[in-house]
Amino acid sequence: MLLLTHVLDTIRGFAIMNKSAPLKISKGQSLWAITLTRLFKNKLAIVAFSVIILLILMAIFAPVITSFDPNRINLSNKFQKPDDIHRLGTDDFGRDVLTRLIYGTRASLLVGLASTGISVTIGVTLGALSGYYGGWIDNLVMRLVDIFMCFPFFLMAIVLASILGPSIYTVMIVSGILSWPSLARMVRAEVLALKKREFIEAARALGLNVSSIIISHILPNVFSVIIVYATLGIAGGILGEAGLSYLGLGVKQPQPSWGNMLSAAQNMSSLMFYPWLWIPPGIMIFLTTLSINIFGDALRDALDPKQKK
Amino acid sequence: MKSYLIRRLLLMIPVIFGVSVIIFTLISLAPGDPFAQMIEANPSMSRADYENLLNSIGYYDPIPVKYAKWAKQVFSGSLGYSISQKQPIADMIGRRLKNTLLLSIPALVLSTIIAIPLGVLSATKQYSFLDYILTLLALAGISIPAFFLALLLLKYLAFDLKLFPLQGMETIAAGYTGTRWLHDRLHHLALPLSILTTIQVAGRMRYTRSSMLEIINQDYIRTARAKGLGEKSVIYKHALRNALIPVITVLSISLGSLLSGAILTENVFMWPGMGTLVYQAISNRDYPLVMAGTMLLALSMLIANLLADIAYAFADPRIRYD
């Protein structure tokens, strides 16, 4: 007990400035309760989490927040500077930039979530099978991982996107398919260590079948690795969307996304003379990925069982 | 070690084969062909001529046949000719490779020189204000899209303040020589280099910090302190040397992205490097050029990974491969 209070007293991470009294944690709390307590001690993580919640609300309630139609074209009103009506000006079709920015949250968050969903599904499945079975399955999966790991991400994404054609689904699939190998490696390593433990031995002795051993006995113990990866992966997906849509291979107009709004900067005159077209989406991408990365980092620290001084 | 190396090199063969098959299949599946733009630019070209051109590059062959032809050519020692540029691919890649390395090697060196001391500082002063600021800056650095940072600097520093040239590697047709030439080159290099350096410092600093923190908490560091060694000697002699082992591994791995790590930044500054070359080749469906380019990038990644494992064994005598 003394040790536990000592460990909790010296939580590292972003609660650096926070030198409040040691946490009192009663006996018998679950990993998640401890993690949550640690997370809420970290002020920066709370700020980051609030930003993420705000963004989600913004995506859901976009039509309530803004009275403009994101796709309403008004060519007599194009390239308007920011003013009282159009807070962030209008774009090359006379559409309200702020409105498109708010609606763009939907595309960016959806891409982040869906691509992470894809890569987590592939990565966990292949990693768990590879670690549990070993042998030729392991060999095959690991070679596949090696192959995917040496693909130059952006060029492969461009090739895939040109096959599938530019769309929001393309971005989700491409980012998802190209980013699972690192997770597969991590899950495999965890499973390799876990499968030699007594409780797995016991599960096997009980005659449980393989899928239930993997799903209900092994994977819950790998969950912290997966959740941290998934959190940081969402940021990766959003950055992927930004890059692909910037090159015109991602989310297709007229649907607004932060990446395709940034692609206005591909045009020299927009880049130089209409900065309100591309700076706001860039800042949104930055703020979103920053919040997610801060939160993911804090989550990793909070889940780390060997908290150090 | 020797047998380990041989095994690793042999394992690279199926991986290289897999990479080439996947890339080849994907690029062949992509709609469009290398002459589509030509026929748009020149509407007088007849349908028959167009078909002849396509037949001449074996466009209608089944994918396995195409792949076999390509592989045969590569094994005979030639990368072939670019369809769109009609130049030997080896020459084109050689030029672009030089341009990319001119940008990425200084970025790697500079960012390492900056990042390691900052990471050590951040770790030794853990929980201090400085550590807090550095950690936040590092997180900002890995969160900002490099090309957005590039666009911002391009607009404000290069266009508005006219401090830097807008794009390219040199003032075209200026005919500078000697120091004027060098100055012009450096002037063009400044913006893209500082962006790549900033982004890389962020990642490497974070890594050094966490590696250093891991070591500082080891028993042998406490022992070193307990036997009365000075703080400097503890940090730089005992801790840093050990903390650098994983950093060396990460550095070796990042050698693999020297060629392909800055595609969007190259794109923003119209830097004539490998990234832009392969990107254009993909849009032109210049199949032989795409294959040669992506294979080279993939190969450099593979070799870097192998190098990382070897460097690891060299830096840490406890590691034995057998």
Side-chain angles (χ1 to χ4, degrees), chain B residues 77-96:
Chain B
S78 158
L79 291 173
Y81 283 79
S82 150
I83 299 173
S84 58
Q85 306 279 323
K86 315 231 173 351
Q87 292 176 27
I89 287 173
D91 294 356
M92 293 173 75
I93 286 187
R95 274 197 306 274
R96 296 300 193 100

Side-chain angles (χ1 to χ4, degrees), chain A residues 54-65:
Chain A
L54 266 176
L55 285 167
I56 294 172
L57 291 176
M58 204 159 105
I60 296 171
F61 295 109
V64 185
I65 302 170

Side-chain angles (χ1 to χ4, degrees), chain A residues 97-109:
Chain A
V97 172
L98 180 61
T99 302
R100 291 181 70 73
L101 198 67
I102 293 169
Y103 277 90
T105 317
R106 292 181 170 179
S108 293
L109 292 187

Side-chain angles (χ1 to χ4, degrees), chain B residues 167-308:
Chain B
Q167 48 195 220
M169 279 182 65
E170 56 192 336
T171 313
I172 292 163
Y176 291 135
T177 48
T179 47
R180 283 296 305 270
W181 174 84
L182 185 66
H183 178 260
D184 184 56
R185 276 302 189 87
L186 289 176
H187 205 192
H188 279 82
L189 187 66
L191 275 190
L193 178 60
S194 42
I195 285 156
L196 291 186
T197 307
T198 311
I199 302 283
Q200 292 180 20
V201 163
R204 232 154 267 158
M205 185 169 87
R206 257 164 72 82
Y207 204 81
T208 311
R209 177 182 182 270
S210 63
S211 167
M212 195 70 187
L213 281 177
E214 192 102 350
I215 299 292
I216 285 179
N217 289 296
Q218 299 283 333
D219 290 341
Y220 60 81
I221 296 298
R222 192 167 356 126
T223 311
R225 285 213 177 96
K227 73 176 184 184
L229 285 184
E231 191 59 20
K232 262 203 184 121
S233 165
V234 171
I235 297 297
Y236 294 102
K237 261 182 112 175
H238 291 72
L240 183 60
R241 283 187 187 185
N242 286 298
L244 282 184
I245 295 171
V247 176
I248 289 170
T249 311
V250 171
L251 273 177
S252 323
I253 290 175
S254 66
L255 285 180
S257 47
L258 274 182
L259 299 181
S260 57
I263 293 169
L264 285 170
T265 311
E266 279 186 4
N267 180 292
V268 170
F269 289 103
M270 303 202 181
W271 189 268
M274 276 304 284
T276 38
L277 178 75
V278 183
Y279 175 53
Q280 280 157 6
I282 294 172
S283 358
N284 292 334
R285 303 288 185 272
D286 193 337
Y287 306 113
L289 188 52
V290 174
M291 283 309 291
T294 40
M295 284 310 292
L296 184 71
L297 301 183
L299 205 62
S300 69
M301 217 85 91
L302 259 179
I303 293 173
N305 282 338
L306 179 62
L307 219 68

Side-chain angles (χ1 to χ4, degrees), chain A residues 262-308:
Chain A
L262 250 175
S263 74
Q266 287 268 20
N267 179 309
M268 254 322 178
S269 65
S270 298
L271 174 66
M272 301 311 174
F273 302 111
Y274 312 123
W276 61 87
L277 294 188
W278 55 271
I279 292 183
I283 292 177
M284 289 305 284
I285 294 168
F286 172 54
L287 280 181
T288 310
T289 45
L290 182 62
S291 308
I292 296 174
N293 280 332
I294 289 176
F295 185 72
D297 232 44
L299 193 63
R300 171 167 41 210
D301 283 352
L303 282 167
D304 189 357
K306 40 175 209 254
Q307 287 286 357
K308 288 179 208 103

Side-chain angles (χ1 to χ4, degrees), chain B residues 151-167:
Chain B
L151 290 168
L152 283 177
L153 295 192
L154 194 62
K155 153 119 181 83
Y156 289 104
L157 297 185
F159 182 75
D160 289 355
L161 298 175
K162 313 235 177 299
L163 292 176
F164 298 97
L166 281 176
Q167 48 195 220

